Amino acid sequence: MLAIYDDALPAVYGYLIRRTRDKGVAEDLTSETFLAAMDHARGDDPHDPSIPWLIGIARHKLADHWRRMQRTPIPVEEVPDGPADDQWDVHLNRMLAEYTLLRLSDTHRAVLTLRYVDDCTVAQCAELLDRTVTATEALLTRAKRAFRASYPSDPATSAAKGGRR
């Protein structure tokens, strides 16, 4: 094995660097190739080492590398946690809430909008809707229940189910 190493090293490394275009990966795969060849040479059925045989081992090591790369996600920088960094979730929740409100009755939509969007008190909602405070509290309870029942629990799965739970 040592006799062919000096001649085979440039051929194996050249084969791998042309296919990976990455010096570090080519060096690692070259090392793996020669380690695998040494393991085989120590085995029960040793093979006469030759450059084509070593290139064949390198081809297998390269295929293994590509398979690992397909399974292993590429590392990315740390994803920020805070909602201040990414407004998409806030925007998505707002869109889902508006969609859900549009599916409610006019009365339910009105009381929920006055109470939670316009930040009116229950007494102010009652005055604006021309109802008693007690009737407005009951309406608000029914409207919240209707909203919860209509709000998609998981946007990805609820879209496939027509938006309903």
Side-chain angles (χ1 to χ4, degrees), residues 134-151:
T134 307
T136 304
E137 287 173 342
L139 176 63
L140 192 56
T141 300
R142 288 191 308 271
K144 287 191 289 188
R145 188 177 305 127
F147 184 88
R148 274 190 227 105
S150 296
Y151 192 85

Side-chain angles (χ1 to χ4, degrees), residues 13 16-17 20 22-32:
Y13 178 76
L16 292 167
I17 192 73
T20 63
D22 185 325
K23 183 180 176 185
V25 171
E27 289 172 355
D28 290 345
L29 293 176
T30 301
S31 296
E32 289 178 27

Side-chain angles (χ1 to χ4, degrees), residues 86-150:
D86 185 9
Q87 293 297 315
W88 174 247
D89 286 338
V90 173
H91 182 67
L92 180 61
N93 286 337
R94 184 178 299 121
M95 287 174 30
L96 286 172
E98 289 173 358
Y99 171 75
T100 304
L101 278 172
L102 289 173
R103 295 173 56 205
L104 298 179
S105 69
D106 292 341
T107 311
H108 286 171
R109 187 177 332 119
V111 73
L112 289 172
T113 303
L114 287 171
R115 179 71 181 103
Y116 296 107
V117 176
D118 298 336
D119 205 31
C120 294
T121 64
V122 176
Q124 291 170 328
C125 293
E127 184 180 336
L128 291 167
L129 295 173
D130 197 29
R131 292 176 174 263
T132 65
V133 172
T134 307
T136 304
E137 287 173 342
L139 176 63
L140 192 56
T141 300
R142 288 191 308 271
K144 287 191 289 188
R145 188 177 305 127
F147 184 88
R148 274 190 227 105
S150 296

Side-chain angles (χ1 to χ4, degrees), residues 76-89:
V76 294
E77 292 182 29
E78 190 65 32
V79 178
D81 289 332
D85 297 328
D86 185 9
Q87 293 297 315
W88 174 247
D89 286 338

Side-chain angles (χ1 to χ4, degrees), residues 56-69:
I57 294 173
R59 185 179 319 116
H60 288 283
K61 294 299 177 184
L62 182 61
D64 292 343
H65 168 73
W66 284 335
R67 278 192 286 274
R68 276 192 311 269
M69 292 307 294

